Amino acid sequence: MSSRPEILFPLFAELETLDGVGPKTAQTFQQMGVERPRDLLFTLPYSGIDRRRRDTIQGAEVPAVVTVEVTVGAHHPPKTRGRPYRVHVQDAKADFQLVFFHARADYLQKLLPPGQRRLVSGKLEIFDGIAQMVHPDHVVRVEEAESIPDFEPVYPLTAGITQKAIMKAAAGALKRVPDIAEWIDPGVKKREGWPDWSEAVRAAHSPTNAADLSPEAADRMRIAYDEFFAHQLTLALARAATRRKPGIPSVGTGALQKRVLGALPYKPTSAQDRAIAEITEDMGSDHRMNRLLQGDVGAGKTLVAFMSLLVAVEAGGQGVMMAPTEILARQHLDSLKPLAEDAGVVLELLTGRDKGAERRAKLAALQRGDIQILVGTHAVFQDDVTFHDLRLAIIDEQHRFGVRQRLQLGAKGQAVDVLVMTATPIPRSLALAQYGDMDVSVLDEKPAGRQPIKTALVSTGRMEEVVDHLRKAIADGRQCYWVCPLVEESEAVDLTAAEARFKHLRAALGEGTVGLVHGQMPPAEKDAAMARFVAGETSVLVATTVIEVGVDVPNASIMVIERAEYFGLAQLHQLRGRVGRGTAASTCLLMFQSPLSQGAERRLTTLRDSEDGFRIAEEDLAMRGAGDVIGTAQSGLPRFRVADLERQAGLMAMAQKDARNLLGSDPKLSTERGQAARVLLWLMEQDKAIRLLSVG
């Protein structure tokens, strides 16, 4: 079924086929993302106006919208230009004025003939002690009262589209709603008390009170669920397609792992043990692994990653671990090297810097299988890099690598297992939306011996106290990060630039003790400054957020974040995680400029009160919304029209389960419910899923 089902044709016709929509209106609708009648169905009213009839305006809490039957009195045309036209009217108990600007007298005489009764509805206000309604929304004959709804839906608009126009267009689209076979699991539908799709759509467009507009209303829940379900079906199909590709079972002997665990000074946490077991089982099966390893800052992902690489080596193959930047790749090398020595395996680094003979030698060793584990940047993608027998690819910091690169990497080996690591705790609903095609392992415990980090809020007025505190700490041999929000002084924004702060601290603490790293430096200079700090030659590193991800200096135990109110929660949590990696007690100082906005205060206090990255991520999501939390531009997050990722996380989890169950029992979607699900995929424009189905 690779073409759209006929039952949906009317919903995918041109907008101009709807009554009252001409070419110009159609173009304006496009700015709202409305291109076809189908899009109107999913553009739901966001509020409503109560237009129930009252006997009189008396007792109305003005300003308010009132609907009342009146007797039309005298007309008062303006004496001078630019003044309004007034019409006196009287209801059962009170009189008031209808006010019109730029109005034509003959039109108003026809609309409101003196002595006759009319039903008027509009916003009533008091002006100079006189009750008046400026430009009523509705003026109709008493016998046409039906044309004013008791509760009028209000739609989101764009410039050039009126409420009247969108209501008319939506009504036209609703006339085309077909009765479609049900795709939701009957048990789920019954348990939730949801209506049929066509009924839900019609009801969502004709709310009868404010409760009908809530995301919890049954009609809206049902439509939101359909969006999530279509999205999760697409991910489940992608997952099934990955799993259908035969993998090479990599069964470890456990010998190398045993040597590493024996040499460790601590015992892995139970979360680490669980993740290692899940990965080992996936690698041993005959389908490809596609797993996400999600761990909070400092939860010990490196050990889990290394154990997984050892499974590949024990099975006679090779593993590769990739990082988004050279700094991080070198750091992985430094943290994995001692483990590799314990295990007695050959570990090498490949980055864009390897040139000439040295590079050729590494590539030859890789091809012979002499290098068992390779650490690198995306340089490992280049065509001349070939492995002897690549079994496992680990990708660090997922959002820098797209799905396309994941696939490219898969092509390097025959059916490579893929493990993606992210240090950003992702709220469950987002993890399901973004990585729903993957299986997920979560590290939610801190390894033994990790020191808690004390977090404090300090206003920028106390800058000199902070510098004094640093002076003492440096004398005790401790190291500190000082993070600044911007690189160059910009007049418009009162932000202390990294350059200026660097000079200030150097003057206060002495030459040679302070280093500087920012995004506009040449990479070699940046690496050199980092290396001096890692080696302990400098005690303070002034930096922009280039240090956010993965930098590991166990001796650094103080983190100062200047103008912390400018950073997002997740970013602050990542930055704080750069300290507390050694044995010393660590502190994080959040410096802010008062007064703080309500949102900024909530962010900083959340961070002060919690070290749990997952709790912080949920809070972040609640405050900022899904698109911002992972940056919509590069997130690959689906755009839902009705569903709300923040508030309806439970629905997303339900949809994932339902989608996986359906495909489990009907992988080709050929049963009656499967066929209905295909119609849903077309309705929700899940082209990728449809392609996967036609290929599969």
Side-chain angles (χ1 to χ4, degrees), residues 467 470-471 474 501-516 537-542:
V467 176
L470 275 192
R471 200 175 282 119
I474 292 168
R501 180 59 58 226
F502 167 65
K503 288 180 187 139
H504 169 199
L505 290 175
R506 201 173 52 181
L509 303 168
E511 294 280 338
T513 42
V514 187
L516 173 68
E537 291 165 27
T538 48
S539 303
V540 179
L541 186 66
V542 175

Side-chain angles (χ1 to χ4, degrees), residues 479-547:
Q479 284 177 281
C480 161
Y481 294 105
W482 189 298
V483 177
C484 297
L486 269 192
V487 181
E488 285 164 340
E489 286 279 342
S490 102
E491 250 96 61
V493 201
D494 170 27
L495 291 179
T496 326
E499 304 261 342
R501 180 59 58 226
F502 167 65
K503 288 180 187 139
H504 169 199
L505 290 175
R506 201 173 52 181
L509 303 168
E511 294 280 338
T513 42
V514 187
L516 173 68
V517 181
H518 62 67
Q520 283 157 34
M521 285 174 140
E525 259 180 61
K526 211 185 300 187
D527 286 359
M530 285 299 302
R532 282 197 296 276
F533 185 66
V534 171
E537 291 165 27
T538 48
S539 303
V540 179
L541 186 66
V542 175
T544 52
T545 49
V546 286
I547 61 160

Side-chain angles (χ1 to χ4, degrees), residues 256-449:
L256 299 176
Q257 299 178 63
K258 212 181 200 151
R259 278 158 71 175
V260 173
L261 289 174
L264 285 179
Y266 55 86
K267 228 171 96 31
T269 64
S270 52
Q272 284 174 311
D273 286 338
R274 189 177 59 234
I276 293 167
E278 288 167 347
I279 292 163
T280 306
E281 187 182 341
D282 275 4
M283 289 179 69
S285 80
D286 51 13
H287 58 242
R288 282 190 197 186
M289 170 166 78
N290 188 23
R291 188 171 279 279
L292 175 70
L293 176 63
Q294 215 190 341
D296 199 350
V297 177
K301 288 183 294 295
T302 307
L303 180 68
V304 175
F306 191 69
M307 289 303 193
S308 317
L309 290 164
L310 288 183
V311 173
V313 177
E314 288 172 354
Q318 294 165 296
V320 64
M321 181 156 175
M322 282 189 318
T325 63
E326 184 152 339
I327 288 183
L328 283 177
R330 288 188 180 279
Q331 207 161 289
H332 281 315
L333 180 75
D334 296 339
S335 51
L336 296 177
K337 211 146 207 174
L339 298 173
E341 280 161 12
D342 294 334
V345 298
V346 182
L347 176 95
E348 271 293 350
L349 176 74
L350 182 70
T351 69
R353 285 210 201 162
D354 291 305
K355 299 275 187 290
E358 195 182 343
R359 179 180 165 90
R360 283 197 296 278
K362 277 188 189 175
L363 295 183
L366 201 60
Q367 207 166 359
R368 285 195 307 273
D370 294 349
I371 295 175
Q372 293 159 297
I373 297 176
L374 183 69
V375 175
T377 53
H378 48 257
V380 304
F381 280 138
Q382 285 156 350
D383 293 340
D384 60 349
V385 181
T386 46
F387 291 83
H388 175 66
D389 179 11
L390 179 61
R391 301 290 186 90
L392 171 68
I394 300 184
I395 301 171
D396 189 16
E397 278 306 316
Q398 159 65 13
H399 46 270
R400 319 268 170 103
F401 284 103
V403 175
R404 208 182 69 243
Q405 283 120 324
R406 288 216 296 256
L407 296 173
Q408 230 180 327
L409 190 75
K412 284 279 175 205
Q414 310 310 298
V416 174
D417 286 326
V418 174
L419 179 68
V420 170
M421 297 201 306
T422 170
T424 318
I426 306 164
R428 179 134 184 267
S429 58
L430 288 192
L432 287 175
Q434 206 186 8
Y435 303 118
D437 60 325
M438 306 179 91
D439 299 299
V440 181
S441 297
V442 176
L443 297 180
D444 47 13
E445 297 171 53
K446 277 210 158 91

Side-chain angles (χ1 to χ4, degrees), residues 82-93:
R83 307 291 297 155
Y85 188 114
R86 297 172 186 277
V87 181
H88 267 277
V89 293
Q90 192 164 17
D91 66 25
K93 292 185 180 164

Side-chain angles (χ1 to χ4, degrees), residues 208-282:
T208 55
N209 54 41
D212 290 349
L213 298 163
S214 132
E216 274 73 58
D219 321 307
R220 289 191 177 226
M221 287 278 270
R222 146 99 221 210
I223 299 168
Y225 185 77
D226 292 335
E227 282 193 289
F228 283 159
F229 184 54
H231 173 64
Q232 286 296 337
L233 258 182
T234 304
L235 291 174
L237 281 163
R239 178 170 177 258
T242 309
R243 295 187 143 212
R244 266 203 308 278
K245 293 181 186 139
I248 296 176
S250 299
V251 180
T253 59
L256 299 176
Q257 299 178 63
K258 212 181 200 151
R259 278 158 71 175
V260 173
L261 289 174
L264 285 179
Y266 55 86
K267 228 171 96 31
T269 64
S270 52
Q272 284 174 311
D273 286 338
R274 189 177 59 234
I276 293 167
E278 288 167 347
I279 292 163
T280 306
E281 187 182 341
D282 275 4

Side-chain angles (χ1 to χ4, degrees), residues 179-230:
D179 284 324
I180 313 183
E182 188 53 75
W183 46 76
I184 295 181
D185 178 304
V188 171
K189 187 178 169 210
K190 191 173 167 197
R191 182 188 74 215
E192 298 296 327
W194 287 337
D196 288 346
W197 181 74
S198 54
E199 190 188 322
V201 173
R202 289 190 188 101
H205 281 274
S206 39
T208 55
N209 54 41
D212 290 349
L213 298 163
S214 132
E216 274 73 58
D219 321 307
R220 289 191 177 226
M221 287 278 270
R222 146 99 221 210
I223 299 168
Y225 185 77
D226 292 335
E227 282 193 289
F228 283 159
F229 184 54

